[in-house]
Amino acid sequence: GKFGLGNYSSRKHISISVPSSTEVMSPHIKSVEELRVLGINLNSFNTPTQFFICVAGVFLFYLIYGYLQELIFSVEGFKPFGWYLTLVQFGFYSLFGLVELQLTQDKRR
């Protein structure tokens, strides 16, 4: 045609395949059926209860982390070292992340 659209009868076919759940899982996850958090088996709970237990755990540990960080800054003479503490935390988080990647051989992001 006039606008370079060519022949309308030629169609291109697109194929979409969905991988199975075992192909998508990270290599260090043994099965989808087993859910352990801090060594506690949560399989006896239904899915919404498992979710709320995990959410509560995240908030609990975040509150403990915040309390301990405030406790550190209440130490006499430590206030000027806030940025240094942030740098050290970032360094350790990066190091632990790299170690975890090496241990699990999971190179996906």
Side-chain angles (χ1 to χ4, degrees):
K2 182 177 176 183
F3 297 105
L5 295 176
N7 188 359
Y8 289 108
S9 64
S10 65
R11 295 185 182 202
K12 294 182 180 179
H13 297 281
I14 298 174
S15 174
I16 298 174
S17 63
V18 178
S20 69
S21 63
T22 56
E23 293 175 17
V24 177
M25 285 186 352
S26 182
H28 64 277
I29 298 174
K30 302 297 182 219
S31 74
V32 179
E33 305 300 323
E34 181 180 341
L35 177 63
R36 287 186 175 271
V37 177
L38 298 175
I40 301 168
N41 190 350
L42 298 180
N43 287 341
S44 60
F45 300 104
N46 61 12
T47 305
T49 306
Q50 290 174 353
F51 172 74
F52 286 117
I53 289 172
C54 291
V55 167
V58 168
F59 279 111
L60 174 71
F61 284 108
Y62 188 71
L63 287 173
I64 292 170
Y65 166 79
Y67 174 76
L68 292 175
Q69 196 167 29
E70 286 295 322
L71 194 62
I72 289 172
F73 282 109
S74 68
V75 173
E76 186 69 32
F78 192 79
K79 206 164 203 137
F81 299 105
W83 283 109
Y84 177 73
L85 177 64
T86 302
L87 177 67
V88 169
Q89 283 179 304
F90 176 76
F92 275 106
Y93 293 159
S94 299
L95 180 69
F96 291 146
L98 289 172
V99 168
E100 193 264 345
L101 277 175
Q102 293 304 314
L103 291 176
T104 61
Q105 298 298 315
D106 187 7
K107 305 296 184 204
R108 294 176 296 155
R109 288 186 179 205

